[in-house]
Amino acid sequence: MAGVCNKPPDFLSPSGNQVLRPALGSVVTLNCTAWVVSAPYCPLPSIQWLKNDLPLGNESHYDLREESWVKANLSEVLVTSVLGVNLTSAEDYGAFTCSVQNASSSSFTLWRAGPAGHLTAVLASLLVLLVLLLAALLYVKCRLPVQLWYQDVYGEVEMNDGKLYDAYVSYSDSPEDRKFVNFILKPQLERRRGYKLFLDDRDLLPRAEPSADLLVNLSRCRRLIVVLSEAFLGRPWCSHSFREGLCRLLELTRRPIFITFEGQRRDTRAHPALHLLRQHRHLVTLLRWRPGSVTPSSDFWKELQLALPRKVQYRPMEGDPQIRLQDDKDPMLTVQGRVPEGRTLDPELDPDPEGDLGVRGLVFGEPPALPPASGVLLGEGRGSEMDVSDLGSRNYSARTDFYCLVSKDDM
């Protein structure tokens, strides 16, 4: 029966060789628990601790507690040993092994937590900060182009609303404002951007009340652009009743656009009208003209285009819609004997590109003399090769740009 006492124990803790990385100065608790097969004649099992394959000494920084429980039938014994290790120096780290009956063992390996963990955390923090800075930079650089792309693709199309102009431009009659509107603002918006502007240098709101002309003109425009120069801010209603005038404008138009200028005098920058507009940025669009805004790629024009209606670009149709749908190959619709770009014309169907009836003769006056009989049969001439039987069936009533076979010189 001695073989029963020599059976290997069943370790509950640790389940295998465990590796721990406690910090220096901490206290680690190592729990070694095992079931040991026993019998009435077997000695009581005990647990022995080893450090680096050497018996553990009686140092003060070790705390050892042992307990055991025996089953009622004395068939198994549960032994537990708890070792507390106070890590005060680098020598306290190592491999701790718990052995039962000097036959079976299980180990704990203590490694010192070096600066690598902190380095990883620092590198991760720097990486996150770099990603945030890159995202902020991309937002600043690409915000307006992305918004313009979204407006061009998914923006609201303001069509068939009875409006004749895209924007109503109000400015003062000073020479500086006239130059800015006529030589900078209008060419950029109309020629380069395709907008249609209505210019007006009269007082926008005399006595803070809209005039009849203003009501009519604003009703024909989709937006309102106000050039807030020093001369414009010098008008009486801007100084005394701008709040009431702004309320009237908000009732008449959709989100008015106000253009201010950088470099204005200090008293102009502190104007009550500008202070009121800054307070109501959520109701208006406030743009600032800077010295570098004159370039077409500046942020000023992008922000202004975002505030204006979306422009829809239509592809011009090739040729006339009537002949495009009917696939008409009539050489009469060919200008100066040339086919429009993108269209092909079979030369066999157009023997004379200058006209349907060949060389044009006189219309008024005596008919030309008949050529002498040469024995050539009718039907062998050039005119017999052209089929003009379908000219009367073609529909030219809807066309207004076809040329007449009778010129002015013939009449």
Side-chain angles (χ1 to χ4, degrees), residues 167-192 195-202 224-232 235 257-261 289 294 300-301 304:
Y168 178 100
V169 182
S170 177
Y171 59 101
S172 68
D173 56 354
S174 64
E176 292 79 8
D177 287 7
R178 288 181 177 272
K179 293 178 181 178
F180 174 76
V181 172
N182 291 280
F183 294 100
I184 297 180
L185 189 65
K186 181 179 179 181
Q188 184 66 227
L189 292 181
E190 289 192 343
R191 298 179 184 177
R192 296 182 63 92
Y195 293 101
K196 190 175 181 181
L197 305 180
F198 181 86
L199 306 181
D200 190 2
D201 60 352
R202 295 173 296 178
L224 169 64
I225 300 177
V226 181
V227 181
L228 283 180
S229 62
E230 296 180 0
F232 194 97
R235 292 177 173 176
I257 304 169
F258 294 89
I259 300 177
T260 61
F261 294 86
W289 175 267
V294 69
F300 173 84
W301 299 111
L304 182 57

CSV table of all heavy atoms in Angstrom, one decimal, residues 167-192 195-202 224-232 235 257-261 289 294 300-301 304:
chain,number,residue,atom,x,y,z
A,167,ALA,N,-28.4,86.7,-56.8
A,167,ALA,CA,-28.1,87.6,-55.6
A,167,ALA,C,-28.4,89.0,-55.9
A,167,ALA,O,-28.2,89.5,-57.1
A,167,ALA,CB,-26.6,87.4,-55.2
A,168,TYR,N,-28.8,89.7,-54.9
A,168,TYR,CA,-29.0,91.2,-55.0
A,168,TYR,C,-27.9,91.8,-54.2
A,168,TYR,O,-27.7,91.5,-53.0
A,168,TYR,CB,-30.4,91.5,-54.3
A,168,TYR,CG,-30.7,93.0,-54.2
A,168,TYR,CD1,-31.6,93.5,-55.1
A,168,TYR,CD2,-30.2,93.8,-53.2
A,168,TYR,CE1,-31.9,94.9,-55.1
A,168,TYR,CE2,-30.5,95.1,-53.1
A,168,TYR,CZ,-31.3,95.7,-54.1
A,168,TYR,OH,-31.7,97.0,-54.0
A,169,VAL,N,-27.1,92.6,-54.9
A,169,VAL,CA,-25.9,93.2,-54.3
A,169,VAL,C,-26.2,94.6,-53.9
A,169,VAL,O,-26.5,95.4,-54.8
A,169,VAL,CB,-24.7,93.1,-55.2
A,169,VAL,CG1,-23.4,93.7,-54.5
A,169,VAL,CG2,-24.4,91.6,-55.6
A,170,SER,N,-26.1,94.9,-52.7
A,170,SER,CA,-26.3,96.3,-52.2
A,170,SER,C,-25.0,96.9,-51.7
A,170,SER,O,-24.3,96.3,-50.9
A,170,SER,CB,-27.4,96.3,-51.1
A,170,SER,OG,-27.5,97.6,-50.6
A,171,TYR,N,-24.7,98.1,-52.2
A,171,TYR,CA,-23.4,98.7,-51.8
A,171,TYR,C,-23.6,100.2,-51.9
A,171,TYR,O,-24.6,100.7,-52.5
A,171,TYR,CB,-22.3,98.3,-52.8
A,171,TYR,CG,-22.5,98.6,-54.2
A,171,TYR,CD1,-21.9,99.7,-54.8
A,171,TYR,CD2,-23.3,97.8,-55.0
A,171,TYR,CE1,-22.1,99.9,-56.2
A,171,TYR,CE2,-23.5,98.0,-56.3
A,171,TYR,CZ,-22.9,99.1,-56.9
A,171,TYR,OH,-23.1,99.4,-58.3
A,172,SER,N,-22.7,101.0,-51.4
A,172,SER,CA,-22.8,102.4,-51.4
A,172,SER,C,-22.2,102.9,-52.8
A,172,SER,O,-21.6,102.2,-53.5
A,172,SER,CB,-22.0,103.0,-50.3
A,172,SER,OG,-20.6,102.8,-50.5
A,173,ASP,N,-22.5,104.2,-53.0
A,173,ASP,CA,-22.1,104.8,-54.3
A,173,ASP,C,-20.7,105.4,-54.2
A,173,ASP,O,-20.3,106.3,-55.1
A,173,ASP,CB,-23.1,105.8,-54.8
A,173,ASP,CG,-23.3,106.9,-53.7
A,173,ASP,OD1,-22.8,106.8,-52.6
A,173,ASP,OD2,-24.1,107.9,-54.0
A,174,SER,N,-19.9,105.0,-53.2
A,174,SER,CA,-18.5,105.6,-53.2
A,174,SER,C,-17.7,104.9,-54.2
A,174,SER,O,-17.9,103.8,-54.7
A,174,SER,CB,-18.0,105.3,-51.8
A,174,SER,OG,-17.8,103.9,-51.6
A,175,PRO,N,-16.6,105.6,-54.7
A,175,PRO,CA,-15.7,105.0,-55.7
A,175,PRO,C,-15.1,103.7,-55.3
A,175,PRO,O,-14.9,102.8,-56.1
A,175,PRO,CB,-14.7,106.2,-55.9
A,175,PRO,CG,-15.3,107.4,-55.5
A,175,PRO,CD,-16.2,107.0,-54.3
A,176,GLU,N,-14.7,103.6,-54.0
A,176,GLU,CA,-14.1,102.3,-53.6
A,176,GLU,C,-15.1,101.2,-53.7
A,176,GLU,O,-14.7,100.1,-54.2
A,176,GLU,CB,-13.6,102.5,-52.2
A,176,GLU,CG,-12.4,103.4,-52.0
A,176,GLU,CD,-12.9,104.9,-52.0
A,176,GLU,OE1,-14.1,105.1,-52.0
A,176,GLU,OE2,-12.0,105.8,-52.0
A,177,ASP,N,-16.3,101.4,-53.3
A,177,ASP,CA,-17.3,100.3,-53.3
A,177,ASP,C,-17.6,100.0,-54.8
A,177,ASP,O,-17.8,98.8,-55.1
A,177,ASP,CB,-18.5,100.7,-52.6
A,177,ASP,CG,-18.3,100.7,-51.1
A,177,ASP,OD1,-17.2,100.5,-50.7
A,177,ASP,OD2,-19.3,100.8,-50.3
A,178,ARG,N,-17.7,101.0,-55.7
A,178,ARG,CA,-18.0,100.7,-57.1
A,178,ARG,C,-16.9,99.9,-57.7
A,178,ARG,O,-17.1,98.9,-58.5
A,178,ARG,CB,-18.2,102.0,-57.8
A,178,ARG,CG,-19.5,102.8,-57.5
A,178,ARG,CD,-19.5,104.0,-58.3
A,178,ARG,NE,-20.8,104.7,-58.1
A,178,ARG,CZ,-21.9,104.5,-58.8
A,178,ARG,NH1,-21.9,103.6,-59.7
A,178,ARG,NH2,-23.0,105.1,-58.5
A,179,LYS,N,-15.6,100.2,-57.4
A,179,LYS,CA,-14.5,99.4,-57.9
A,179,LYS,C,-14.6,98.0,-57.4
A,179,LYS,O,-14.3,97.0,-58.1
A,179,LYS,CB,-13.2,100.1,-57.6
A,179,LYS,CG,-13.0,101.4,-58.2
A,179,LYS,CD,-11.6,102.0,-57.8
A,179,LYS,CE,-11.4,103.4,-58.4
A,179,LYS,NZ,-10.1,104.0,-58.0
A,180,PHE,N,-14.8,97.8,-56.1
A,180,PHE,CA,-14.9,96.5,-55.5
A,180,PHE,C,-16.0,95.6,-56.1
A,180,PHE,O,-15.8,94.5,-56.5
A,180,PHE,CB,-15.1,96.6,-54.0
A,180,PHE,CG,-15.2,95.2,-53.3
A,180,PHE,CD1,-14.2,94.4,-53.1
A,180,PHE,CD2,-16.5,94.8,-52.9
A,180,PHE,CE1,-14.3,93.2,-52.5
A,180,PHE,CE2,-16.7,93.6,-52.3
A,180,PHE,CZ,-15.6,92.8,-52.1
A,181,VAL,N,-17.1,96.2,-56.3
A,181,VAL,CA,-18.3,95.4,-56.9
A,181,VAL,C,-18.1,95.2,-58.3
A,181,VAL,O,-18.3,94.0,-58.8
A,181,VAL,CB,-19.6,96.2,-56.6
A,181,VAL,CG1,-20.8,95.5,-57.3
A,181,VAL,CG2,-19.8,96.2,-55.0
A,182,ASN,N,-17.8,96.2,-59.1
A,182,ASN,CA,-17.7,96.0,-60.6
A,182,ASN,C,-16.5,95.4,-61.1
A,182,ASN,O,-16.5,94.8,-62.2
A,182,ASN,CB,-17.9,97.4,-61.2
A,182,ASN,CG,-19.3,98.0,-61.0
A,182,ASN,OD1,-20.3,97.6,-61.7
A,182,ASN,ND2,-19.4,98.9,-60.1
A,183,PHE,N,-15.4,95.4,-60.4
A,183,PHE,CA,-14.1,94.9,-60.9
A,183,PHE,C,-13.6,93.7,-60.2
A,183,PHE,O,-12.7,93.0,-60.6
A,183,PHE,CB,-13.0,96.0,-60.9
A,183,PHE,CG,-13.3,97.1,-61.8
A,183,PHE,CD1,-13.8,98.3,-61.3
A,183,PHE,CD2,-13.1,97.0,-63.2
A,183,PHE,CE1,-14.1,99.4,-62.2
A,183,PHE,CE2,-13.3,98.1,-64.0
A,183,PHE,CZ,-13.8,99.3,-63.5
A,184,ILE,N,-14.2,93.4,-59.0
A,184,ILE,CA,-13.8,92.2,-58.3
A,184,ILE,C,-14.9,91.2,-58.0
A,184,ILE,O,-14.9,90.1,-58.4
A,184,ILE,CB,-13.1,92.6,-56.9
A,184,ILE,CG1,-11.9,93.4,-57.1
A,184,ILE,CG2,-12.8,91.4,-56.1
A,184,ILE,CD1,-11.2,93.9,-55.9
A,185,LEU,N,-16.0,91.7,-57.4
A,185,LEU,CA,-17.1,90.8,-57.0
A,185,LEU,C,-17.9,90.3,-58.2
A,185,LEU,O,-18.1,89.1,-58.3
A,185,LEU,CB,-18.0,91.6,-56.0
A,185,LEU,CG,-19.1,90.7,-55.3
A,185,LEU,CD1,-18.4,89.7,-54.4
A,185,LEU,CD2,-20.0,91.6,-54.5
A,186,LYS,N,-18.3,91.2,-59.1
A,186,LYS,CA,-19.1,90.8,-60.2
A,186,LYS,C,-18.3,89.9,-61.2
A,186,LYS,O,-18.9,88.9,-61.6
A,186,LYS,CB,-19.6,92.1,-60.9
A,186,LYS,CG,-20.5,91.8,-62.1
A,186,LYS,CD,-21.0,93.0,-62.8
A,186,LYS,CE,-21.9,92.7,-64.0
A,186,LYS,NZ,-22.4,93.9,-64.6
A,187,PRO,N,-17.1,90.3,-61.6
A,187,PRO,CA,-16.4,89.4,-62.5
A,187,PRO,C,-16.2,88.0,-61.9
A,187,PRO,O,-16.3,87.0,-62.6
A,187,PRO,CB,-15.1,90.1,-62.8
A,187,PRO,CG,-15.4,91.5,-62.5
A,187,PRO,CD,-16.3,91.5,-61.4
A,188,GLN,N,-15.9,87.9,-60.6
A,188,GLN,CA,-15.6,86.6,-60.1
A,188,GLN,C,-16.9,85.8,-60.0
A,188,GLN,O,-16.8,84.6,-60.2
A,188,GLN,CB,-15.0,86.8,-58.6
A,188,GLN,CG,-14.6,85.6,-57.9
A,188,GLN,CD,-13.4,84.9,-58.6
A,188,GLN,OE1,-13.4,83.7,-58.8
A,188,GLN,NE2,-12.4,85.7,-59.0
A,189,LEU,N,-18.0,86.4,-59.6
A,189,LEU,CA,-19.2,85.6,-59.4
A,189,LEU,C,-19.9,85.3,-60.7
A,189,LEU,O,-20.4,84.2,-60.9
A,189,LEU,CB,-20.2,86.3,-58.5
A,189,LEU,CG,-19.7,86.4,-57.0
A,189,LEU,CD1,-20.7,87.1,-56.2
A,189,LEU,CD2,-19.4,85.1,-56.4
A,190,GLU,N,-19.9,86.2,-61.7
A,190,GLU,CA,-20.6,86.0,-62.9
A,190,GLU,C,-19.8,85.3,-63.9
A,190,GLU,O,-20.3,84.3,-64.6
A,190,GLU,CB,-21.1,87.4,-63.5
A,190,GLU,CG,-22.2,88.0,-62.7
A,190,GLU,CD,-22.9,89.2,-63.4
A,190,GLU,OE1,-22.2,89.7,-64.3
A,190,GLU,OE2,-24.0,89.6,-63.0
A,191,ARG,N,-18.6,85.6,-64.1
A,191,ARG,CA,-17.8,85.0,-65.2
A,191,ARG,C,-17.2,83.7,-64.8
A,191,ARG,O,-17.2,82.8,-65.6
A,191,ARG,CB,-16.7,86.0,-65.7
A,191,ARG,CG,-17.2,87.3,-66.3
A,191,ARG,CD,-16.1,88.2,-66.7
A,191,ARG,NE,-16.6,89.5,-67.2
A,191,ARG,CZ,-15.8,90.5,-67.5
A,191,ARG,NH1,-14.5,90.4,-67.5
A,191,ARG,NH2,-16.3,91.6,-67.9
A,192,ARG,N,-16.7,83.6,-63.6
A,192,ARG,CA,-16.0,82.4,-63.1
A,192,ARG,C,-16.9,81.5,-62.5
A,192,ARG,O,-16.7,80.2,-62.5
A,192,ARG,CB,-14.8,82.8,-62.2
A,192,ARG,CG,-13.7,83.6,-62.8
A,192,ARG,CD,-12.6,83.8,-61.8
A,192,ARG,NE,-12.0,82.6,-61.4
A,192,ARG,CZ,-10.9,82.1,-62.0
A,192,ARG,NH1,-10.4,82.7,-63.1
A,192,ARG,NH2,-10.4,80.9,-61.6
A,195,TYR,N,-22.9,82.9,-61.7
A,195,TYR,CA,-24.0,83.5,-61.1
A,195,TYR,C,-24.5,84.7,-61.8
A,195,TYR,O,-23.8,85.3,-62.6
A,195,TYR,CB,-23.7,83.9,-59.6
A,195,TYR,CG,-23.4,82.7,-58.7
A,195,TYR,CD1,-22.1,82.4,-58.4
A,195,TYR,CD2,-24.5,82.0,-58.2
A,195,TYR,CE1,-21.9,81.3,-57.6
A,195,TYR,CE2,-24.2,80.9,-57.4
A,195,TYR,CZ,-22.9,80.6,-57.1
A,195,TYR,OH,-22.7,79.5,-56.2
A,196,LYS,N,-25.7,85.1,-61.5
A,196,LYS,CA,-26.3,86.3,-62.1
A,196,LYS,C,-26.7,87.3,-61.0
A,196,LYS,O,-27.4,86.9,-60.1
A,196,LYS,CB,-27.6,85.9,-62.9
A,196,LYS,CG,-28.1,87.1,-63.8
A,196,LYS,CD,-29.3,86.6,-64.7
A,196,LYS,CE,-29.8,87.7,-65.5
A,196,LYS,NZ,-30.9,87.3,-66.4
A,197,LEU,N,-26.1,88.5,-61.1
A,197,LEU,CA,-26.2,89.4,-60.0
A,197,LEU,C,-27.1,90.6,-60.4
A,197,LEU,O,-27.1,91.0,-61.6
A,197,LEU,CB,-24.9,89.9,-59.6
A,197,LEU,CG,-23.8,88.9,-59.1
A,197,LEU,CD1,-22.5,89.6,-58.7
A,197,LEU,CD2,-24.4,88.0,-58.0
A,198,PHE,N,-27.8,91.2,-59.4
A,198,PHE,CA,-28.5,92.4,-59.6
A,198,PHE,C,-27.8,93.5,-58.7
A,198,PHE,O,-27.8,93.3,-57.5
A,198,PHE,CB,-30.0,92.3,-59.2
A,198,PHE,CG,-30.8,93.5,-59.3
A,198,PHE,CD1,-31.4,93.9,-60.5
A,198,PHE,CD2,-30.9,94.4,-58.3
A,198,PHE,CE1,-32.1,95.0,-60.7
A,198,PHE,CE2,-31.7,95.6,-58.4
A,198,PHE,CZ,-32.3,95.9,-59.6
A,199,LEU,N,-27.2,94.5,-59.3
A,199,LEU,CA,-26.4,95.5,-58.6
A,199,LEU,C,-27.3,96.7,-58.3
A,199,LEU,O,-28.0,97.2,-59.1
A,199,LEU,CB,-25.2,95.9,-59.4
A,199,LEU,CG,-24.3,94.7,-59.8
A,199,LEU,CD1,-23.1,95.3,-60.6
A,199,LEU,CD2,-23.9,93.9,-58.7
A,200,ASP,N,-27.2,97.3,-57.1
A,200,ASP,CA,-27.9,98.4,-56.7
A,200,ASP,C,-27.1,99.2,-55.7
A,200,ASP,O,-26.7,98.7,-54.6
A,200,ASP,CB,-29.3,98.0,-56.0
A,200,ASP,CG,-30.2,99.2,-55.8
A,200,ASP,OD1,-29.8,100.3,-56.2
A,200,ASP,OD2,-31.3,99.0,-55.3
A,201,ASP,N,-26.8,100.5,-56.0
A,201,ASP,CA,-26.0,101.3,-55.1
A,201,ASP,C,-26.9,102.3,-54.4
A,201,ASP,O,-26.3,103.3,-53.8
A,201,ASP,CB,-24.9,102.1,-55.9
A,201,ASP,CG,-25.5,103.0,-57.0
A,201,ASP,OD1,-26.7,102.9,-57.3
A,201,ASP,OD2,-24.7,103.7,-57.7
A,202,ARG,N,-28.2,102.2,-54.5
A,202,ARG,CA,-29.1,103.1,-53.7
A,202,ARG,C,-29.1,102.6,-52.3
A,202,ARG,O,-28.7,101.6,-51.9
A,202,ARG,CB,-30.5,103.1,-54.3
A,202,ARG,CG,-30.5,103.7,-55.7
A,202,ARG,CD,-31.9,103.5,-56.4
A,202,ARG,NE,-32.2,102.1,-56.5
A,202,ARG,CZ,-33.4,101.7,-57.0
A,202,ARG,NH1,-34.3,102.5,-57.4
A,202,ARG,NH2,-33.6,100.4,-57.2
A,224,LEU,N,-29.2,87.9,-50.7
A,224,LEU,CA,-28.9,89.3,-50.6
A,224,LEU,C,-27.5,89.4,-50.1
A,224,LEU,O,-27.1,88.8,-49.1
A,224,LEU,CB,-29.9,90.0,-49.6
A,224,LEU,CG,-29.5,91.4,-49.1
A,224,LEU,CD1,-29.5,92.4,-50.3
A,224,LEU,CD2,-30.4,91.9,-48.0
A,225,ILE,N,-26.7,90.2,-50.8
A,225,ILE,CA,-25.3,90.5,-50.4
A,225,ILE,C,-25.1,92.0,-50.1
A,225,ILE,O,-25.5,92.8,-51.0
A,225,ILE,CB,-24.3,90.1,-51.6
A,225,ILE,CG1,-24.4,88.6,-51.9
A,225,ILE,CG2,-22.9,90.4,-51.2
A,225,ILE,CD1,-23.5,88.2,-53.1
A,226,VAL,N,-24.7,92.3,-48.9
A,226,VAL,CA,-24.5,93.7,-48.5
A,226,VAL,C,-23.0,93.9,-48.3
A,226,VAL,O,-22.4,93.2,-47.5
A,226,VAL,CB,-25.3,94.0,-47.2
A,226,VAL,CG1,-25.1,95.4,-46.8
A,226,VAL,CG2,-26.8,93.6,-47.4
A,227,VAL,N,-22.5,94.9,-49.0
A,227,VAL,CA,-21.1,95.3,-48.8
A,227,VAL,C,-21.0,96.3,-47.7
A,227,VAL,O,-21.3,97.5,-47.9
A,227,VAL,CB,-20.5,95.8,-50.1
A,227,VAL,CG1,-19.0,96.2,-50.0
A,227,VAL,CG2,-20.7,94.8,-51.3
A,228,LEU,N,-20.5,95.9,-46.5
A,228,LEU,CA,-20.5,96.8,-45.4
A,228,LEU,C,-19.2,97.5,-45.3
A,228,LEU,O,-18.3,97.2,-44.5
A,228,LEU,CB,-20.7,95.9,-44.1
A,228,LEU,CG,-22.1,95.5,-43.8
A,228,LEU,CD1,-22.2,94.7,-42.5
A,228,LEU,CD2,-23.1,96.7,-43.7
A,229,SER,N,-19.0,98.5,-46.2
A,229,SER,CA,-17.8,99.3,-46.2
A,229,SER,C,-18.0,100.4,-45.2
A,229,SER,O,-19.1,100.6,-44.6
A,229,SER,CB,-17.5,99.8,-47.6
A,229,SER,OG,-18.6,100.6,-48.0
A,230,GLU,N,-17.0,101.3,-45.1
A,230,GLU,CA,-17.1,102.4,-44.2
A,230,GLU,C,-18.1,103.4,-44.7
A,230,GLU,O,-18.9,104.0,-43.9
A,230,GLU,CB,-15.7,103.1,-44.1
A,230,GLU,CG,-14.7,102.2,-43.4
A,230,GLU,CD,-13.3,103.0,-43.3
A,230,GLU,OE1,-13.3,104.1,-43.7
A,230,GLU,OE2,-12.4,102.4,-42.8
A,231,ALA,N,-18.2,103.5,-46.0
A,231,ALA,CA,-19.2,104.4,-46.6
A,231,ALA,C,-20.6,103.9,-46.3
A,231,ALA,O,-21.6,104.6,-46.1
A,231,ALA,CB,-19.0,104.6,-48.1
A,232,PHE,N,-20.8,102.6,-46.4
A,232,PHE,CA,-22.1,102.0,-46.2
A,232,PHE,C,-22.5,102.1,-44.8
A,232,PHE,O,-23.7,102.4,-44.5
A,232,PHE,CB,-22.1,100.5,-46.6
A,232,PHE,CG,-23.5,99.9,-46.8
A,232,PHE,CD1,-24.1,99.8,-48.0
A,232,PHE,CD2,-24.1,99.4,-45.6
A,232,PHE,CE1,-25.3,99.2,-48.1
A,232,PHE,CE2,-25.4,98.9,-45.7
A,232,PHE,CZ,-26.0,98.8,-47.0
A,235,ARG,N,-24.2,105.4,-43.4
A,235,ARG,CA,-25.6,105.8,-43.7
A,235,ARG,C,-26.4,105.9,-42.4
A,235,ARG,O,-26.1,105.2,-41.4
A,235,ARG,CB,-26.3,104.8,-44.6
A,235,ARG,CG,-25.7,104.8,-46.0
A,235,ARG,CD,-26.2,103.8,-46.9
A,235,ARG,NE,-25.8,104.0,-48.3
A,235,ARG,CZ,-26.1,103.2,-49.3
A,235,ARG,NH1,-26.8,102.1,-49.1
A,235,ARG,NH2,-25.6,103.4,-50.5
A,257,ILE,N,-26.2,87.9,-46.6
A,257,ILE,CA,-24.7,87.8,-46.6
A,257,ILE,C,-24.1,89.2,-46.4
A,257,ILE,O,-24.4,90.1,-47.2
A,257,ILE,CB,-24.2,87.2,-47.9
A,257,ILE,CG1,-24.8,85.8,-48.1
A,257,ILE,CG2,-22.7,87.0,-47.9
A,257,ILE,CD1,-24.6,85.3,-49.5
A,258,PHE,N,-23.3,89.4,-45.4
A,258,PHE,CA,-22.7,90.7,-45.2
A,258,PHE,C,-21.2,90.6,-45.3
A,258,PHE,O,-20.5,89.6,-44.7
A,258,PHE,CB,-23.0,91.2,-43.7
A,258,PHE,CG,-24.5,91.5,-43.5
A,258,PHE,CD1,-25.3,90.5,-43.1
A,258,PHE,CD2,-24.9,92.8,-43.8
A,258,PHE,CE1,-26.7,90.8,-42.9
A,258,PHE,CE2,-26.3,93.1,-43.6
A,258,PHE,CZ,-27.2,92.1,-43.2
A,259,ILE,N,-20.6,91.4,-46.1
A,259,ILE,CA,-19.1,91.4,-46.4
A,259,ILE,C,-18.5,92.6,-45.6
A,259,ILE,O,-18.8,93.8,-45.9
A,259,ILE,CB,-18.8,91.5,-47.9
A,259,ILE,CG1,-19.5,90.3,-48.6
A,259,ILE,CG2,-17.3,91.5,-48.1
A,259,ILE,CD1,-19.3,90.3,-50.1
A,260,THR,N,-17.6,92.3,-44.7
A,260,THR,CA,-16.8,93.3,-44.0
A,260,THR,C,-15.4,93.3,-44.5
A,260,THR,O,-15.0,92.4,-45.2
A,260,THR,CB,-16.9,93.1,-42.5
A,260,THR,OG1,-16.3,91.8,-42.2
A,260,THR,CG2,-18.3,93.1,-42.0
A,261,PHE,N,-14.6,94.4,-44.2
A,261,PHE,CA,-13.3,94.5,-44.7
A,261,PHE,C,-12.3,94.6,-43.6
A,261,PHE,O,-12.5,95.3,-42.5
A,261,PHE,CB,-13.2,95.8,-45.5
A,261,PHE,CG,-14.0,95.8,-46.8
A,261,PHE,CD1,-15.4,96.1,-46.8
A,261,PHE,CD2,-13.5,95.3,-48.0
A,261,PHE,CE1,-16.1,96.1,-47.9
A,261,PHE,CE2,-14.2,95.3,-49.1
A,261,PHE,CZ,-15.6,95.6,-49.1
A,289,TRP,N,-13.3,90.3,-45.9
A,289,TRP,CA,-12.4,90.5,-47.0
A,289,TRP,C,-11.1,90.9,-46.5
A,289,TRP,O,-10.9,91.9,-45.8
A,289,TRP,CB,-13.0,91.5,-48.0
A,289,TRP,CG,-12.1,91.8,-49.1
A,289,TRP,CD1,-11.1,92.8,-49.2
A,289,TRP,CD2,-12.0,91.1,-50.3
A,289,TRP,NE1,-10.5,92.8,-50.4
A,289,TRP,CE2,-11.0,91.7,-51.1
A,289,TRP,CE3,-12.7,90.0,-50.9
A,289,TRP,CZ2,-10.6,91.3,-52.4
A,289,TRP,CZ3,-12.3,89.6,-52.2
A,289,TRP,CH2,-11.3,90.2,-52.9
A,294,VAL,N,-8.2,88.3,-52.8
A,294,VAL,CA,-8.4,88.6,-54.2
A,294,VAL,C,-8.1,87.4,-55.1
A,294,VAL,O,-8.7,87.3,-56.2
A,294,VAL,CB,-7.6,89.8,-54.6
A,294,VAL,CG1,-6.1,89.4,-54.6
A,294,VAL,CG2,-8.0,90.3,-56.0
A,300,PHE,N,-12.3,83.1,-48.9
A,300,PHE,CA,-13.4,84.0,-49.0
A,300,PHE,C,-14.4,83.6,-50.1
A,300,PHE,O,-15.6,83.6,-49.9
A,300,PHE,CB,-12.9,85.4,-49.3
A,300,PHE,CG,-14.0,86.4,-49.6
A,300,PHE,CD1,-14.6,87.1,-48.6
A,300,PHE,CD2,-14.4,86.7,-50.9
A,300,PHE,CE1,-15.6,88.0,-48.8
A,300,PHE,CE2,-15.4,87.7,-51.2
A,300,PHE,CZ,-16.0,88.3,-50.1
A,301,TRP,N,-13.9,83.3,-51.3
A,301,TRP,CA,-14.8,82.9,-52.4
A,301,TRP,C,-15.5,81.5,-52.1
A,301,TRP,O,-16.6,81.3,-52.6
A,301,TRP,CB,-14.0,82.8,-53.7
A,301,TRP,CG,-13.4,84.2,-54.1
A,301,TRP,CD1,-12.1,84.5,-54.1
A,301,TRP,CD2,-14.1,85.4,-54.5
A,301,TRP,NE1,-11.9,85.8,-54.5
A,301,TRP,CE2,-13.2,86.4,-54.7
A,301,TRP,CE3,-15.5,85.7,-54.6
A,301,TRP,CZ2,-13.5,87.6,-55.1
A,301,TRP,CZ3,-15.8,86.9,-55.0
A,301,TRP,CH2,-14.8,87.9,-55.2
A,304,LEU,N,-18.2,82.3,-49.7
A,304,LEU,CA,-19.3,83.0,-50.4
A,304,LEU,C,-20.1,82.1,-51.3
A,304,LEU,O,-21.3,82.2,-51.4
A,304,LEU,CB,-18.7,84.2,-51.2
A,304,LEU,CG,-19.7,85.0,-52.0
A,304,LEU,CD1,-20.7,85.6,-51.0
A,304,LEU,CD2,-19.0,86.1,-52.7
